[in-house]
Amino acid sequence: MNQKTDFKLLFCLFVVAIVWGTTYLGIRVAVETMPPWYITSTRQALAALIVLSILLYKKQLAWIGWENFKLQAVASILMIVIANGFTTIAEQTLPSGLTSILSALSPLVVFLGSATIGLQKPSLKGFIGVIIGFMGVVFIFRDGLGDILDPNYKTGVFFLSIAILTWSAGTIFTKMNTHKSNNIALNLFYQFSIAAIIQFVLALIFTPNVDVSSWSTRSIMATLYLSIFGSVFAFFCYHYAIKRVTAIQVSILNYINTAIAVFLGWLLLDEVITFDFVIATILIIIGVFIINYKKTKTEAK
């Protein structure tokens, strides 16, 4: 039986793949003159206001109940407060291309986590894909393992590692609970609002004496882009997609994000694309392809 193509789903997957690929560059530009927690709190506060205006226009603003509020709070803390916040901190010292390639570990973590809790069946094919993907990441450091000894470098990798783990956990958590609420815009309003409040408090704690006049127009515009496209547009598409496909299928888009981020870092920020980066990206993509490849009925005959 032929299934009707879901063009909305394809569009949402395309948006997530492209837009989140550009956010690594946007974050890198924003941190040039703005403190990380001010970037993230401003980004999410603006996103919350945009979604609020949409909800008010559609007369859909409502209290979601404590049970759903708890779910949105957990998702917000894992994916927006910690994952997004720590990625922003990491990009103070790490190039956007390297950040995106390391973040490409997320699909592998999602696969392992999903298999562990029974959300996805473990398989030899999946294990091989995981190994090849990890080989790709290790290959990045083939000629530069000594850089890890740099304190600034280690700090960036540390924060990014936590971001990868919490984003992966948030993806699995969202997939497990996505059936419990259907109003994506309303859920996102609460997620963005929770994140904005927490991140603003963190901004006041870690950067109490902020000089707003030192923020460049370039950084402010990057933050605005992150808010409109990276948060509102991409998160809506992400939540639409994860209701319809598996967590690992959504997370595979990280690999398209990686290719775009590396290219933009080279094009606009003069970041170097080495042969190692190219080989690493190819290995990672092959690993995830193996994990997700399924034979069609024609091939199976």
Side-chain angles (χ1 to χ4, degrees), residues 13-210:
L13 291 171
F14 176 80
V15 168
V16 172
I18 300 300
V19 172
W20 275 347
T22 65
T23 55
Y24 293 105
L25 175 65
I27 292 171
R28 185 65 177 168
V29 172
V31 297
E32 288 176 349
T33 61
M34 293 176 64
W37 290 117
Y38 280 98
I39 295 170
T40 56
S41 60
T42 302
R43 171 181 174 177
Q44 309 314 333
L46 290 174
L49 288 174
I50 292 170
V51 177
L52 175 62
S53 64
I54 295 172
L55 290 171
L56 289 174
Y57 176 76
K58 292 186 174 183
K59 297 180 180 180
Q60 293 181 349
L61 181 63
W63 170 240
I64 56 176
W66 283 111
E67 287 304 314
N68 191 20
F69 180 81
K70 292 175 186 176
L71 296 178
Q72 304 313 317
V74 172
S76 176
I77 291 170
L78 287 174
M79 303 186 74
I80 305 178
V81 176
I82 302 177
N84 179 261
F86 280 20
T87 298
T88 305
I89 292 173
E91 285 210 47
Q92 287 184 299
T93 55
L94 298 179
S96 60
L98 178 58
T99 302
S100 65
I101 289 182
L102 290 175
S103 295
L105 275 171
S106 178
L108 304 177
V109 179
V110 169
F111 173 78
L112 293 173
S114 298
T116 300
I117 65 173
L119 197 62
Q120 182 166 324
K121 291 183 179 180
S123 64
L124 177 61
K125 178 171 68 73
F127 177 75
I128 293 172
V130 168
I131 295 300
I132 292 176
F134 272 110
M135 283 172 56
V137 176
V138 171
F139 198 86
I140 298 171
F141 302 104
R142 186 170 64 93
D143 295 325
L145 290 174
D147 291 339
I148 298 177
L149 299 177
D150 179 5
N152 291 327
Y153 190 87
K154 287 199 299 183
T155 300
V157 171
F158 171 75
F159 279 109
L160 190 58
S161 298
I162 296 175
I164 292 168
L165 290 173
T166 54
W167 179 268
S168 301
T171 297
I172 294 172
F173 177 83
T174 301
K175 179 60 183 177
M176 292 175 63
N177 295 282
T178 188
H179 63 283
K180 297 180 181 179
S181 179
N182 293 319
N183 194 325
I184 296 175
L186 191 59
N187 290 341
L188 285 178
F189 167 69
Y190 282 96
Q191 285 190 28
F192 292 146
S193 298
I194 292 168
I197 293 170
I198 295 174
Q199 289 174 333
F200 183 64
V201 171
L202 291 172
L204 294 176
I205 293 173
F206 290 104
T207 317
N209 301 314
V210 64

